[in-house]
Amino acid sequence: QNKFVALLMQEARRHCHLDDQDEIHDAGNNKTNNHHLRYGEEVVRISEHSSSSNNSNSYNNIGNHPSPLITIHTSQGQSYHTRYLLAADGVNSFTRKQFGIPMMGEDSMQNLINVHFRTNGTLSELLMRRSSSSPTNHHNQAMLHFVYNSHLVGAFVCHDGNKGEWVLQIPFFPPFQTMENDFDAGKVRDMIWAGLVGDVLHPETNTTRNMEDSNFNFEILSIRPWTMSSLVAQRYLNESKNMILVGDAAHAFPPAGGFGMNTGLQDAHNIAWRLALLLNREKRNEVSHLTLEHGKDMPDPRNETIEPSSSSSRSAPTTSFSNAILSKYDQERKPIATQNAALSVRNYQRTLRIAKACYLDAQHPQLLISMLNSLPMNMLPLETRQDMFRKLVSVAMMPLGSLVSSPKSGGMQSGRHSFHADHIEKNVMSILKSGGSLPLVFPRYELGFSYNPNRNVTTSERSDAAATNNDEIGGDTAGYFPRLKVGHRMPHVSVEVLAFSSAAGKDGVAVLETLNHCQTASNSDLEDANTDDRPIHISLSDISSQLRRAHSCPSPVFTLIAFGPALTSSLTLIGEAVDCVMKKWNVPLMLVSVLPARPDDVYEHQNKVRSSTDDDSRNGRESRGFNVLYTVDTEKALLQLLHDVEPALAHNTKEQMQQKQNDSKAVNALIMVRPDGHIANISWIDEREGVEKIVSKQIERVMEQGFQNALGGDILLED
């Protein structure tokens, strides 16, 4: 956490500095900066009010936004007005409590002491040698170390072995243990020594540890108690849909598996593109209204990806759109948090298996506490019961002394295994060999998590449940299997770039990330891409974010991938359908054409692209922001994924389906990808209907459904 805060501060300062260079000007041509960084300033009060209660002077300095609905008051006497508040203020979130949102789940699974310490260079080198999995590479040390001996039961987490950064987690049982009497600096220091080196410092020479030896030392940086819990907020938004919970403010997990911070980062990613899309959309609407009212010139299409909607095709009402797109954040992220909370609890239970193998049951301290709090024991003074608790815990840990590597103890290194130590070793090895310990990689949850747009549909739930049961082979640690399915991440598919038809032109175009030794390709490179001696490959897994950067687009973009001969030969008609849907939703969308096979003459294909782009420009289509990236599925990876999930149409016989799998020309599909890389919609095209019918009926329907899946199904667009 201490390192993460520093990284966040560095990024925040960097962004504030960039914003200072591009200060916003209001109508009076006065410089204003609406970005503030406040560190060490506590929020003491939050007030929510309707826009009707504000006077006209409370309007935002950026255009004609509605007046602020939330006011934040700080410990420094400052007040900040905002339309949207992201609450990322931790598990004890002041903001969440102010809005009366409860946490659901188990709020006290285990109390622990968190000790942050740093070892010096000599001790760090020793520890790295002892924990390394390689006899020659001492920098490949283990990250988690569970220690069970007569002086300490705890878990060491190695944050950075090279710099000696460690954290020790120790079980804590208040009120029968206290910070003052059981975890002062001296006692904690002894626990760290007992956990790191036991009774000997050099196991090779059995040299006795010298606590005063300055060559081996460490510094305790902090000692803090905390409570492990498994909680998820009842909802992620307030009733007004302008306060959004993010990270630990929305959920708290046991640390086993490392899902707390990862889930929080996913939250931030999901809400960031939604807010960016919403605010940029509102900005375009404002420009459109000003244009219609005052007759001002339209913005340069190179600066705006799509043209603001005209009066004949007005976009969705702001309130309806904003409520839907932000509510979708709650609908998508809360189930993921609930899923990860359950997984983290299972992981915590896995860590207790080793303790049980050492004859330490996590329930025993709780039973002891329950006994000490019950009649007649609770009639004794607390100090007396605390002493009883400490002595009983010490007695329970005494048998672990047989595991100490010391000749004096009769332990394992003396060559004389005690029966107790031998039995514990067999128990532990049985768990490890069977894979029952704590795993560190969970591909199914880390890469395979998905957003189901039909979560509330009973038939869909049954279908997904059946699919999930089939996937459960391998349990929590099962591998990630890429799939083309709505809500899942777009799989990593490498495609070869043929050409890039860009309405934005060369000005302001950044780069696409190629797969050629981490190189990048500019728009000028892509226009003449993929001669035989200079192929360019990119991945479709994050195609939306790549295209956004390539076009320097201020708003997140959706991407429509057209695969198959019937579609790639009809891009002009598809482009018109894309343009129509973009105007209706006022949301940027770009087009990627994926050919099933490489053209015989790449140069001829590139010339056709240039000719098509010139024709589009003369016809005014370029002003619509019509952009096409032309690629080819050279490795047949996308084709294989489409075959894996292609539905068996009623009119297809078994022989016809087999023929379709053998013939790439028979596959035509549309895949709509969200700004965050998840699939918004996917549809297979039956080319027997004819291209004209495809464009007029199916293409627009695929995009409409994709926007509803990603942005909210309750959005009502005006006529």
Side-chain angles (χ1 to χ4, degrees):
Q1 182 68 25
N2 62 309
K3 289 190 175 183
F4 189 54
V5 170
L7 290 173
L8 289 177
M9 286 294 297
Q10 179 180 340
E11 281 297 295
R13 289 193 176 99
R14 185 175 70 87
H15 282 283
C16 283
H17 175 72
L18 291 176
D19 290 335
D20 289 341
Q21 304 304 312
D22 300 318
E23 290 179 312
I24 302 168
H25 292 71
D26 63 9
N29 204 32
N30 296 319
K31 289 186 177 181
T32 59
N33 185 3
N34 290 273
H35 304 82
H36 305 274
L37 175 61
R38 296 289 183 266
Y39 184 67
E41 192 169 339
E42 183 181 4
V43 176
V44 295
R45 186 164 65 89
I46 301 173
S47 56
E48 184 182 15
H49 43 84
S50 64
S51 58
S52 60
S53 65
N54 297 309
N55 56 45
S56 59
N57 293 327
S58 63
Y59 278 74
N60 195 305
N61 287 323
I62 313 176
N64 295 325
H65 286 311
S67 51
L69 296 180
I70 294 179
T71 301
I72 303 167
H73 308 272
T74 75
S75 56
Q76 301 299 319
Q78 299 290 328
S79 296
Y80 301 98
H81 307 294
T82 181
R83 295 177 58 212
Y84 298 105
L85 173 62
L86 297 184
D89 47 349
V91 66
N92 296 314
S93 171
F94 173 82
T95 309
R96 187 188 66 239
K97 295 174 182 177
Q98 283 281 293
F99 284 91
I101 300 177
M103 297 288 273
M104 314 300 291
E106 191 172 353
D107 61 356
S108 182
M109 296 178 60
Q110 172 69 60
N111 292 294
L112 296 123
I113 299 295
N114 187 90
V115 183
H116 180 206
F117 66 96
R118 183 183 297 118
T119 57
N120 67 0
T122 308
L123 183 55
S124 297
E125 182 64 25
L126 170 67
L127 296 173
M128 290 172 68
R129 287 203 310 270
R130 293 181 61 182
S131 64
S132 174
S133 59
S134 169
T136 57
N137 181 10
H138 296 157
H139 299 280
N140 187 28
Q141 74 275 7
M143 185 183 73
L144 288 177
H145 306 257
F146 293 90
V147 174
Y148 301 92
N149 62 42
S150 57
H151 302 287
L152 173 71
V153 171
F156 286 86
V157 184
C158 180
H159 285 178
D160 189 334
N162 295 311
K163 296 181 180 179
E165 291 279 347
W166 291 80
V167 165
L168 170 61
Q169 306 280 359
I170 313 169
F172 176 40
F173 301 97
F176 300 105
Q177 288 181 326
T178 65
M179 292 289 295
E180 297 78 11
N181 296 328
D182 299 277
F183 297 98
D184 60 26
K187 288 186 173 64
V188 168
R189 191 172 183 83
D190 288 342
M191 293 178 189
I192 294 174
W193 276 120
L196 288 181
V197 298
D199 286 343
V200 296
L201 188 59
H202 297 290
E204 297 88 353
T205 61
N206 289 330
T207 303
T208 304
R209 166 170 51 93
N210 184 355
M211 299 288 287
E212 304 301 325
D213 189 346
S214 60
N215 291 329
F216 301 96
N217 211 340
F218 59 84
E219 175 189 6
I220 296 178
L221 302 177
S222 65
I223 304 174
R224 295 192 182 101
W226 67 285
T227 302
M228 182 191 299
S229 56
S230 178
L231 299 167
V232 177
Q234 187 182 64
R235 61 184 188 277
Y236 280 19
L237 282 78
N238 64 335
E239 294 182 0
S240 302
K241 305 292 192 297
N242 58 355
M243 189 285 300
I244 304 108
L245 298 178
V246 182
D248 287 355
H251 44 72
F253 310 148
F259 279 91
M261 184 175 292
N262 286 309
T263 306
L265 291 173
Q266 292 170 7
D267 293 341
H269 187 205
N270 191 295
I271 193 59
W273 75 260
R274 294 181 181 280
L275 272 178
L277 186 72
L278 173 62
L279 296 175
N280 278 280
R281 186 176 185 274
E282 291 178 351
K283 184 178 180 180
R284 288 193 297 271
N285 286 342
E286 290 170 8
V287 174
S288 177
H289 294 156
L290 288 173
T291 302
L292 294 173
E293 292 175 8
H294 304 294
K296 295 183 179 180
D297 293 335
M298 296 300 290
D300 190 326
R302 290 176 296 179
N303 299 328
E304 292 291 335
T305 302
I306 59 176
E307 184 183 54
S309 57
S310 64
S311 58
S312 61
S313 59
R314 296 164 66 185
S315 61
T318 299
T319 302
S320 174
F321 187 89
S322 63
N323 284 351
I325 191 173
L326 297 179
S327 295
K328 196 69 175 176
Y329 165 76
D330 177 283
Q331 296 167 19
E332 290 187 348
R333 292 305 306 164
K334 184 180 174 183
I336 299 299
T338 302
Q339 168 184 282
N340 289 347
L343 172 61
S344 298
V345 170
R346 292 196 297 275
N347 285 338
Y348 171 63
Q349 296 297 332
R350 289 184 175 105
T351 66
L352 300 180
R353 294 175 184 172
I354 299 295
K356 288 185 178 181
C358 297
Y359 300 101
L360 296 175
D361 195 316
Q363 294 182 352
H364 291 170
Q366 299 302 328
L367 292 173
L368 179 57
I369 290 172
S370 177
M371 181 190 70
L372 293 174
N373 282 329
S374 303
L375 285 171
M377 302 298 295
N378 62 357
M379 300 181 67
L380 297 173
L382 177 60
E383 292 79 4
T384 302
R385 288 181 288 154
Q386 288 174 338
D387 289 339
M388 294 175 63
F389 181 87
R390 294 185 185 105
K391 291 177 180 178
L392 289 172
V393 168
S394 178
V395 170
M397 294 174 62
M398 283 178 61
L400 295 177
S402 62
L403 300 174
V404 176
S405 301
S406 169
K408 297 180 181 180
S409 65
M412 290 182 232
Q413 275 209 348
S414 68
R416 295 182 290 108
H417 280 217
S418 70
F419 173 80
H420 188 265
D422 187 60
H423 201 64
I424 289 178
E425 183 181 8
K426 289 181 179 178
N427 291 343
V428 172
M429 292 304 298
S430 175
I431 293 174
L432 297 179
K433 289 181 179 179
S434 65
S437 61
L438 175 63
L440 295 180
V441 180
F442 304 87
R444 156 177 292 150
Y445 298 93
E446 294 162 333
L447 298 175
F449 72 93
S450 64
Y451 302 130
N452 181 3
N454 302 312
R455 193 170 298 278
N456 296 324
V457 180
T458 305
T459 55
S460 176
E461 284 185 350
R462 284 200 295 265
S463 175
D464 286 345
T468 301
N469 289 336
N470 292 333
D471 289 342
E472 285 301 322
I473 299 173
D476 289 337
T477 58
Y480 163 66
F481 300 98
R483 62 176 63 182
L484 288 174
K485 187 176 181 181
V486 175
H488 286 250
R489 288 187 59 84
M490 180 66 195
H492 168 65
V493 174
S494 173
V495 293
E496 184 179 348
V497 178
L498 295 181
F500 198 4
S501 170
S502 173
K506 295 182 181 180
D507 296 338
V509 176
V511 294
L512 287 179
E513 298 173 358
T514 77
L515 300 178
N516 301 48
H517 306 291
C518 299
Q519 295 176 349
T520 56
S522 67
N523 190 53
S524 58
D525 294 330
L526 295 170
E527 285 183 345
D528 298 314
N530 281 18
T531 58
D532 291 336
D533 60 340
R534 194 171 57 126
I536 293 177
H537 293 84
I538 64 170
S539 173
L540 294 181
S541 61
D542 62 341
I543 188 63
S544 291
S545 61
Q546 288 198 63
L547 290 176
R548 179 192 180 187
R549 290 191 297 271
H551 288 275
S552 301
C553 179
S555 173
V557 302
F558 284 75
T559 300
L560 184 66
I561 300 173
F563 179 91
L567 295 174
T568 55
S569 63
S570 310
L571 292 179
T572 299
L573 295 175
I574 295 176
E576 292 176 352
V578 168
D579 192 55
C580 178
V581 175
M582 276 203 305
K583 286 197 302 179
K584 182 177 181 180
W585 285 78
N586 198 5
V587 172
L589 191 148
M590 297 185 183
L591 183 59
V592 175
S593 167
V594 182
L595 296 171
R598 201 170 192 267
D600 294 332
D601 192 331
V602 174
Y603 288 108
E604 180 182 353
H605 184 84
Q606 291 171 348
N607 290 331
K608 288 182 179 179
V609 171
R610 292 192 189 94
S611 176
S612 174
T613 303
D614 293 340
D615 291 341
D616 290 342
S617 178
R618 286 191 294 270
N619 294 331
R621 189 171 291 113
E622 193 171 77
S623 65
R624 302 298 187 190
F626 181 51
N627 307 285
V628 184
L629 178 65
Y630 295 86
T631 66
V632 58
D633 184 24
T634 52
E635 298 178 2
K636 307 298 181 185
L638 186 56
L639 177 65
Q640 183 59 51
L641 287 168
L642 287 166
H643 280 320
D644 289 344
V645 294
E646 184 178 15
L649 302 177
H651 59 265
N652 285 134
T653 64
K654 184 176 181 180
E655 292 75 15
Q656 287 174 323
M657 290 298 297
Q658 183 63 42
Q659 178 63 30
K660 286 171 71 98
Q661 292 198 5
N662 296 331
D663 184 8
S664 62
K665 295 181 179 179
V667 179
N668 295 279
L670 288 171
I671 306 169
M672 188 172 175
V673 183
R674 304 174 2 160
D676 60 357
H678 287 256
I679 297 174
N681 201 13
I682 182 170
S683 179
W684 285 261
I685 305 300
D686 185 1
E687 60 180 315
R688 297 187 312 169
E689 295 183 9
V691 172
E692 295 293 338
K693 288 185 178 181
I694 290 174
V695 174
S696 61
K697 298 189 321 187
Q698 201 164 359
I699 305 298
E700 292 187 22
R701 188 163 62 245
V702 169
M703 290 184 286
E704 292 272 4
Q705 185 61 54
F707 279 136
Q708 290 184 2
N709 290 341
L711 305 178
D714 298 329
I715 297 178
L716 299 176
L717 299 178
E718 294 180 345
D719 296 330

